[in-house]
């Protein structure tokens, strides 16, 4: 397994990336994309010398739980790579590609959603295909090595640096020169990309059939990640609300306890849904164990429906300093720094700087650029809240429910 | 004195004020990259309402005596930047002038003199209300730091000296006067904390540390709202600031500390409620356009969501209408919207705002937060890709789609959107405060009587 520095070096492969209208000659040197690179590199350094767990396809419930815990804690390209690896259980033909990816310790991203000009694969005489069209919402496109492109019933593995691939990157990373008051997004953002395929030649050994099944598995994988992360995020909202309430001295105020209890119920239900999905995980095609989709759909829908209410409660118990707290640079200022620490503290046990840092986390995650990106992209997983409800209905085992209703009403 | 032009306003800010942002002292707010657009928007208001007549003044200084006055005022504030709104709210001091006059006649005289001076010199004011507060459940004298609430630390023959901090002060570095008011009611023994006064922004000992919702970056075309209408929020540190007697409106009378905060709170909430209908209408329009853009306008589930938004917008508008239909006039003839409807409407508006925004996000999809920028669109190299791959349904061009998506993102899912979500909910008191005020003003006796009759008690 390669080091973070070797990963950085690997990105100097001539990839064609643009950001906000300008060509990015080196993604490791761009102020915004470098933050994504640094996050991915940190995962590389964590597993230097040993095989990264993302390459392990879970075959038991315990392995699935371990895998998901790892993915929630790792950079987001680990999830996209692991999702692509899960497909090896569906198509033995992918195995040799997977071996090559492990050998290079490369990262993959799935390119599934079409732009207004869908990607089409034209067959070539040598058995390969030529790709033309566009894909959007490709997580990590500018900082991974391979794109797994779904076009009709065909899936193709395309190196990011391939001739004819152009990436229009977008990043929710903070733009402030001194970004210390963005404690999460300064180190945990992954850029997204709109990827244009302009007559990209793909050799036969990188073309695979059965993309419809791939699509379903990739969607399920994305849904699982979103639900796992939702449970973690709900617990973080709970923790932040409790800590800032304690720092404000209001945990015993009845309406604050009301809000904290509402968040506690939300956090527990999000966790319960995820645990139920893991506890009822089933063996899929090829032996891979997948979380139960009915619980995934219901939990995703539940979490999305109430997310805004929970962040609203968090803002309410925290107060206006969520968006007006001074920066770390302000706290260091020789004239006003001591005054700011004095007025941001609330009692002898609470330091002004600690409380300020809590406000920064709340703003960064729930009231700023990264928070907006994170909220929207998680809400619209699987087509948004309405689609999530419909998916829950579709996944619900209706027959036993109907039978019980008939029995209750005495209808034979 | 004549009104100020935009240029004169800009010059007025170069008065030695000590304002900071991102850990740096600001030399001139009008030239600072993170403040200059806010200064420009205030200067734009000055130019828009400029009238060279010697007795001309901005409509925010009109004390409303009738519904027509109020409508003119709402319209004028809608055409102005936020500091006009904060200044107008400060002028609500005249609401409580008669009451304070009964306490000490000079308070009433000073409030009217201050009002006239502000009007004549065409200055802007901030509402400096929220204290640092320390431990929220403890009274000012119970805090381990006596400065957790702004207090009088010295009384001299010609004025007072104050110490403490005020937080979340909208537009603080861009106005001329910081109108300091108690954040809540005070009790006997807390006389030093029962203080209301006005402090010039360049007063010795006043430091203002700012944050802003302005976008960062060279090209801000993909921030269509916040690149034009951003505003800083200041944390005011009063490090033993002298205030002359003529600018002291309350000093030690604990019985009246809450009156001032309540008067301004009502106007602050009223400003929010007055525009909530049009803001909600905008959400309906944006959702409707997003649905058209995505070719989903006729879908049953989308029409369901649009109807939710339409009900929300209509109720927001109804709240303000009811507040004005039930407005009250004080003994000096000043008209105030009905507190009951203002608080109930503000609560309703803020409580459901997040869910309404969810609807927009659901209709828009992930492209909302991942759309290429206008610079991408205009690029000679990749512009053709953007125009081809972002082409919308029903004749929507890529440029039109991008404009709509960036507008909605800026408004609801970025720095400015976060600021809106937090401040709309907390300005003028949080949600629980709105509920309490609503219950306090609700006619419970009549409701109980109705219930008694219905039940036959």
């Amino acid at each position: 397994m390669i080091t973070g520095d070797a990963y950085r070096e690997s990105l100097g492969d001539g990839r064609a990336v643009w950001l906000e209208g300008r060509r990015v000659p080196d993604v490791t040197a761009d102020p915004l994309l470098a933050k994504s690179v640094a996050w991915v590199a940190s995962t590389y350094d964590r597993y230097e010398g040993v095989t990264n767990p993302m390459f392990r396809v879970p075959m038991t419930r315990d392995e699935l739980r371990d895998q998901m815990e790892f993915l929630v804690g790792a950079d987001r390209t680990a999830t996209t790579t692991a999702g692509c690896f899960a497909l090896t259980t569906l198509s033995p033909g992918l195995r040799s590609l997977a071996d090559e990816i492990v050998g290079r310790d490369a990262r993959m991203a799935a390119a599934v959603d079409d732009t207004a000009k869908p990607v089409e694969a034209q067959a070539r005489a040598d058995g390969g295909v030529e790709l033309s069209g566009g894909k959007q919402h490709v997580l990590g496109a500018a900082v991974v090595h391979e794109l797994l492109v779904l076009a009709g019933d065909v899936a193709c593995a395309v190196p990011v640096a391939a001739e004819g691939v152009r990436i229009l990157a977008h990043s929710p990373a903070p733009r402030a020169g001194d970004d210390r008051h963005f404690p999460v997004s300064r180190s945990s953002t992954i850029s997204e990309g709109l990827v244009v395929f302009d007559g990209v030649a793909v050799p036969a050994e990188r073309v695979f059939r059965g993309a419809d099944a791939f699509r379903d598995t990739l969607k399920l994988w994305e849904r699982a990640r979103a639900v796992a992360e939702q449970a973690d995020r709900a617990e973080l909202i709970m923790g932040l609300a409790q800590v800032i309430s304690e720092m404000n001295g209001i945990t015993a105020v009845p309406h604050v306890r009301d809000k904290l209890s509402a968040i506690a119920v939300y956090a527990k239900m999000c966790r319960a849904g995820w645990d139920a999905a893991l506890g009822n995980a089933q063996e899929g095609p090829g032996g891979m164990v997948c979380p139960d989709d009915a619980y995934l759909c219901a939990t995703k829908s539940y979490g999305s429906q109430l997310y805004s209410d929970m962040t609203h409660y968090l803002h309410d118990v925290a107060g206006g300093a969520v968006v007006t707290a001074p920066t770390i640079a302000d706290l260091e200022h020789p004239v006003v720094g001591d005054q700011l620490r004095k007025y941001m503290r609330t009692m002898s046990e609470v330091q002004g700087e600690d409380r300020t840092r809590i406000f920064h986390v709340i703003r960064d995650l729930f009231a700023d650029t990264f928070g907006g990106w994170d909220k929207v992209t998680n809400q619209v997983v699987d087509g948004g809240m309405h689609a999530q409800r419909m998916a829950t209905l579709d996944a619900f085992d209706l027959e036993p429910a109907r039978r019980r209703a008939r029995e209750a009403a005495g209808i034979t | 004195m004549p009104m100020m032009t935009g240029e004169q306003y800009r010059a007025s800010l170069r008065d030695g004020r000590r304002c900071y942002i991102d850990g740096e002292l600001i030399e001139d707010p009008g030239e600072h990259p993170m403040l200059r657009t806010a200064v420009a928007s205030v200067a734009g208001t000055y130019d828009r309402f400029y009238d060279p007549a010697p007795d001309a003044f901005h409509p925010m200084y009109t004390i409303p005596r009738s519904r027509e006055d109020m409508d003119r005022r709402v319209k004028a504030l809608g055409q102005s930047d936020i500091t006009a709104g904060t200044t107008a709210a400060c002028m609500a001091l005249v609401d409580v002038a008669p009451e304070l006059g009964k306490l000490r006649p000079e308070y009433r005289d000073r409030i009217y003199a201050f009002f006239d001076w502000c009007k004549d010199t065409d200055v802007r004011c901030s509402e400096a209300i929220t204290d640092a507060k320390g431990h929220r459940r403890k009274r000012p004298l119970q805090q381990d730091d006596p400065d957790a609430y702004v207090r009088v630390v010295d009384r001299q023959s010609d004025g007072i000296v104050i110490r403490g901090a005020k937080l979340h002060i909208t537009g603080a570095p861009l106005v001329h006067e910081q109108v300091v008011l108690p954040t809540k009611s005070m009790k006997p023994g807390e006389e030093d904390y029962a203080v209301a006064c006005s402090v010039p922004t360049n007063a010795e000992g006043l430091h203002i540390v700012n944050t802003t919702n302005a976008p960062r970056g060279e090209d801000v075309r993909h921030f269509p709202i916040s690149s034009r209408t951003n505003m800083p929020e200041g944390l005011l540190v009063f490090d033993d600031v002298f205030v002359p007697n003529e600018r002291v409106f309350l000093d030690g009378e604990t019985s009246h500390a809450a009156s001032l905060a309540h008067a301004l709170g009502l106007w602050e909430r009223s400003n929010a409620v007055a525009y909530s209908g049009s803001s909600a209408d905008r959400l309906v329009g944006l959702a409707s356009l997003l649905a058209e853009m995505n070719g989903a306008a006729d879908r049953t589930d989308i029409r369901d969501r649009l109807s939710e938004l339409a009900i929300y917008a209509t109720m927001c508008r109804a709240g303000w209408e009811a507040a004005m239909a039930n407005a009250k006039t004080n003994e000096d003839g000043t008209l105030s919207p009905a507190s009951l409807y203002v608080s109930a409407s503000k609560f309703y508006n803020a409580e459901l705002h997040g869910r309404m925004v969810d609807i927009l996000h659901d209709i828009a999809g992930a492209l909302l937060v991942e759309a290429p920028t206008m610079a991408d669109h205009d690029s000679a190299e990749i512009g053709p890709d953007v125009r081809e791959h972002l082409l919308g349904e029903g004749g929507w061009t890529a440029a039109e789609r991008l404009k709509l998506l960036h507008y909605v993102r800026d408004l609801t899912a970025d720095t400015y959107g976060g600021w809106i979500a937090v401040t709309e909910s907390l300005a003028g008191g949080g949600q629980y405060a709105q509920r309490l005020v609503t219950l306090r003003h609700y006619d419970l006796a009549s409701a109980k009587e109705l219930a008694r009759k219905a039940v036959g008690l």
Side-chain angles (χ1 to χ4, degrees):
Chain A
M1 296 292 105
I2 65 175
T3 64
D5 282 343
Y7 159 69
R8 285 189 174 88
E9 200 173 320
S10 72
L11 299 176
D13 54 6
R15 57 189 58 205
V17 177
W18 281 262
L19 182 73
E20 297 183 8
R22 57 186 166 74
R23 178 76 190 261
V24 180
D26 177 1
V27 294
T28 67
D30 179 86
L32 292 180
L33 297 179
K35 290 180 168 67
S36 299
V37 172
W39 194 21
V40 181
S42 72
T43 308
Y44 271 101
D45 283 335
R46 232 169 106 195
Y47 290 95
E48 184 190 346
V50 296
T51 302
N52 190 307
M54 68 187 172
F55 294 128
R56 196 169 52 227
V57 177
M59 306 303 272
T60 67
R61 286 181 181 172
D62 285 344
E63 286 180 5
L64 175 64
R65 189 180 292 273
D66 291 347
Q67 174 82 319
M68 295 312 299
E69 278 178 13
F70 158 73
L71 292 176
V72 168
D75 75 86
R76 291 282 295 272
T77 66
T79 306
T80 58
T81 306
C84 294
F85 256 69
L87 303 179
T88 57
T89 58
L90 300 176
S91 168
L94 273 168
R95 198 59 252 175
S96 60
L97 172 72
D99 291 342
E100 181 204 325
I101 296 291
V102 175
R104 289 160 48 205
D105 197 9
R107 293 289 187 273
M108 297 185 79
V112 179
D113 296 333
D114 284 307
T115 65
K117 187 185 176 194
V119 173
E120 291 180 359
Q122 293 288 331
R124 298 195 316 172
D126 61 1
V129 298
E130 184 176 292
L131 297 179
S132 294
K135 293 286 183 182
Q136 56 191 354
H137 319 314
V138 183
L139 192 76
V143 296
V144 298
H145 304 93
E146 296 276 342
L147 301 170
L148 187 72
V149 186
L150 305 191
D153 191 39
V154 170
C156 307
V158 178
V160 170
E163 184 75 23
V165 172
R166 294 192 288 276
I167 298 173
L168 281 63
H170 166 275
S171 171
R175 285 156 170 75
D178 178 350
D179 60 10
R180 288 176 295 167
H181 51 293
F182 295 88
V184 178
S185 61
R186 70 192 299 243
S187 58
S188 303
T189 52
I190 286 294
S191 63
E192 304 250 0
L194 186 157
V195 185
V196 176
F197 299 89
D198 189 2
V200 177
V202 186
E205 64 272 21
R206 284 177 157 256
V207 179
F208 312 96
R209 301 289 163 185
D212 283 339
F214 291 5
R215 190 174 285 106
D216 291 343
T217 299
L218 287 170
K219 289 282 184 190
L220 184 139
W221 202 252
E222 175 61 10
R223 193 154 52 240
R225 179 213 58 79
V227 172
E229 195 176 280
Q230 180 177 277
D232 270 22
R233 186 56 52 85
E235 286 162 0
L236 180 57
I237 293 174
M238 180 74 238
L240 289 167
Q242 180 67 27
V243 168
I244 201 65
S245 298
E246 289 169 5
M247 286 180 159
N248 289 346
I250 55 172
T251 45
V253 175
H255 79 88
V256 173
R257 285 185 60 77
D258 254 6
K259 286 162 187 145
L260 292 174
S261 67
I263 298 173
V265 170
Y266 177 75
K268 278 297 168 200
M269 292 311 297
C270 287
R271 178 60 65 192
W274 174 235
D275 280 348
L278 285 177
N280 292 278
Q282 292 149 19
E283 193 175 298
M288 183 179 72
V289 173
C290 301
D292 181 86
D293 208 23
Y295 284 110
L296 285 183
C297 291
T299 310
K300 187 73 210 78
S301 179
Y302 170 82
S304 296
Q305 298 283 341
L306 293 181
Y307 185 81
S308 290
D309 287 353
M310 298 304 118
T311 55
H312 181 58
Y313 293 153
L314 175 60
H315 295 163
D316 203 65
V317 299
V322 167
V323 290
T324 66
T327 64
I328 300 299
D330 290 327
L331 294 176
E332 291 172 349
H333 193 277
V335 175
V336 292
D338 287 344
Q339 296 273 17
L340 294 173
R341 274 187 288 278
K342 169 184 166 75
Y343 291 114
M344 291 304 290
R345 73 185 279 281
T346 52
M347 57 190 92
S348 55
E349 306 81 25
V350 176
Q351 298 305 308
E353 180 165 339
D354 292 345
R355 186 162 167 260
T356 302
R357 288 179 184 275
I358 292 288
F359 283 124
H360 291 166
V361 174
I362 297 173
R363 191 208 67 250
D364 196 14
L365 280 173
F366 306 108
D368 212 323
T369 303
F370 178 75
W373 174 85
D374 186 60
K375 185 259 185 186
V376 172
T377 52
N378 277 306
Q379 181 184 318
V380 302
V381 164
D382 281 342
M385 293 196 291
H386 176 75
Q388 288 159 11
R389 279 209 304 265
M390 294 303 110
T392 305
L393 182 61
D394 291 343
F396 198 92
D397 191 352
L398 282 173
E399 195 44 48
R402 293 170 66 192
R403 195 166 52 242
R404 290 189 66 175
R406 284 178 168 275
E407 285 169 6
I411 304 170
T412 55
Chain B
M1 290 177 67
M3 295 175 76
M4 275 195 272
T5 64
E7 269 315 300
Q8 288 168 327
Y9 161 71
R10 287 172 182 278
S12 74
L13 299 179
R14 296 188 282 272
D15 58 1
R17 57 188 60 200
R18 280 164 295 279
C19 300
Y20 308 79
I21 194 164
D22 292 342
E24 292 176 3
L25 181 67
I26 301 164
E27 293 292 326
D28 177 357
E31 296 299 322
H32 192 281
M34 296 307 291
L35 296 179
R36 62 187 172 212
T37 51
V39 172
S41 75
V42 182
T45 304
Y46 271 100
D47 283 335
R48 198 153 40 252
F49 286 90
Y50 178 72
D51 182 340
D55 57 349
F57 57 86
H58 189 285
M60 68 188 165
Y61 286 112
T62 303
I63 297 175
R65 311 279 188 198
S66 65
R67 175 71 197 253
E68 290 70 30
D69 283 353
M70 188 65 80
D71 288 347
R72 271 196 296 275
R73 176 188 154 108
V74 167
K75 186 180 175 191
L77 291 179
Q79 296 167 340
S80 304
D81 65 277
I82 299 175
T83 66
T86 59
T87 306
C90 291
M91 295 308 110
L93 280 172
V94 299
D95 269 2
V96 288
E99 190 185 333
L100 292 179
K102 289 170 193 161
L103 202 62
R104 282 174 62 181
E106 60 265 37
Y107 286 156
R108 181 180 186 277
D109 298 343
R110 288 173 189 170
I111 287 172
Y112 278 113
F114 177 65
F115 178 87
D116 289 340
W117 177 83
C118 290
K119 187 168 83 169
D120 291 347
T121 54
D122 200 17
V123 296
R124 295 286 188 275
C125 303
S126 80
E127 305 165 81
I129 299 178
T130 307
D131 288 288
K133 293 183 183 172
H135 191 303
R136 300 301 194 267
R137 296 212 80 189
K138 291 185 177 179
R139 304 290 311 174
L141 288 172
Q142 296 171 326
Q143 304 284 342
D144 59 13
D145 183 346
D147 304 332
Y149 289 78
V150 168
R151 64 182 178 127
V152 179
V153 292
D154 191 18
R155 290 186 174 83
Q156 302 166 3
S157 60
D158 54 348
I160 59 174
V161 176
I162 61 171
R163 185 188 301 161
K166 293 286 187 182
L167 278 67
H168 329 312
I169 312 306
T170 302
L174 309 187
V175 301
H176 306 92
E177 291 282 326
Q178 313 291 334
V179 177
V180 177
L181 299 166
T183 199
K184 63 180 184 183
S185 59
M186 294 294 165
K187 293 180 174 175
E190 297 170 339
E191 285 74 14
D192 289 344
Y193 298 93
V195 58
C197 57
S198 187
V199 178
T201 303
N202 66 348
E204 187 69 29
L206 175 58
H207 299 269
I208 303 178
V209 181
N210 300 282
T211 56
T212 176
N213 48 46
R216 295 172 190 268
E218 290 297 309
D219 183 347
V220 292
R221 285 177 295 164
H222 48 293
F223 294 92
I225 307 171
S226 60
S227 62
R228 291 182 284 109
T229 62
N230 61 73
M231 192 53 63
E233 299 266 348
L235 188 159
L236 275 52
V237 175
F238 297 93
D239 188 9
D240 291 358
V241 175
F242 174 77
V243 186
N245 282 334
E246 60 269 26
R247 291 291 169 82
V248 177
F249 311 128
L250 187 78
D251 176 18
E253 293 84 358
T254 54
S255 58
H256 284 65
S259 311
L260 289 151
H262 288 164
L264 260 69
L266 171 63
W267 283 102
E268 194 175 16
R269 289 191 290 274
S270 296
N271 278 349
V273 173
Y275 301 106
S276 64
S278 53
S279 295
D281 284 343
R282 179 173 57 171
L283 292 183
V284 179
L286 290 169
S288 189
L289 285 176
L290 286 167
E292 281 177 30
M293 181 189 86
N294 288 340
D298 295 331
R299 269 173 36 192
T300 308
D301 62 296
I302 297 293
R303 290 186 59 76
D304 258 5
R305 311 308 300 277
L306 288 176
S307 69
E308 278 184 61
L309 275 165
I311 291 168
Y312 174 73
T314 306
M315 293 311 298
C316 287
R317 195 169 289 287
W320 177 243
E321 289 295 326
M324 286 312 300
N326 293 279
K328 290 184 170 62
T329 305
N330 77 359
E331 61 189 89
D332 279 6
T334 305
L335 185 78
S336 303
S339 235
L340 170 66
Y341 289 102
V342 167
S343 296
S345 302
K346 179 155 187 314
F347 176 85
Y348 172 83
N349 177 18
E351 193 70 6
L352 293 184
H353 181 262
R355 292 187 179 208
M356 298 302 114
V357 167
D358 286 347
I359 296 174
L360 266 75
H361 292 173
D362 231 29
I363 298 173
L367 200 58
L368 181 74
V369 289
E370 296 167 6
T373 64
M374 301 314 290
D376 288 322
H377 179 272
D378 294 344
S379 160
E381 288 178 300
I382 52 165
D385 286 337
V386 173
R387 290 190 280 278
E388 183 175 29
H389 290 275
L390 270 293
L391 195 64
E393 304 226 5
W396 281 77
T397 66
E400 289 169 339
R401 287 186 81 194
L402 292 179
K403 278 185 179 178
L404 178 58
L405 290 165
H406 288 311
Y407 190 96
V408 176
R409 190 208 73 248
D410 198 14
L411 182 67
T412 65
D414 214 314
T415 304
Y416 182 74
W419 180 82
I420 290 271
V422 173
T423 56
E424 275 197 350
S425 169
L426 296 173
Q431 289 297 80
Y432 186 65
Q434 307 309 324
R435 280 158 60 162
L436 285 185
V437 175
T438 302
L439 187 60
R440 189 165 66 231
H441 289 279
Y442 193 89
D443 188 352
L444 272 180
S446 297
K448 283 165 71 178
E449 187 54 32
L450 273 175
R452 281 178 176 279
K453 279 183 182 167
V455 178
L457 300 177

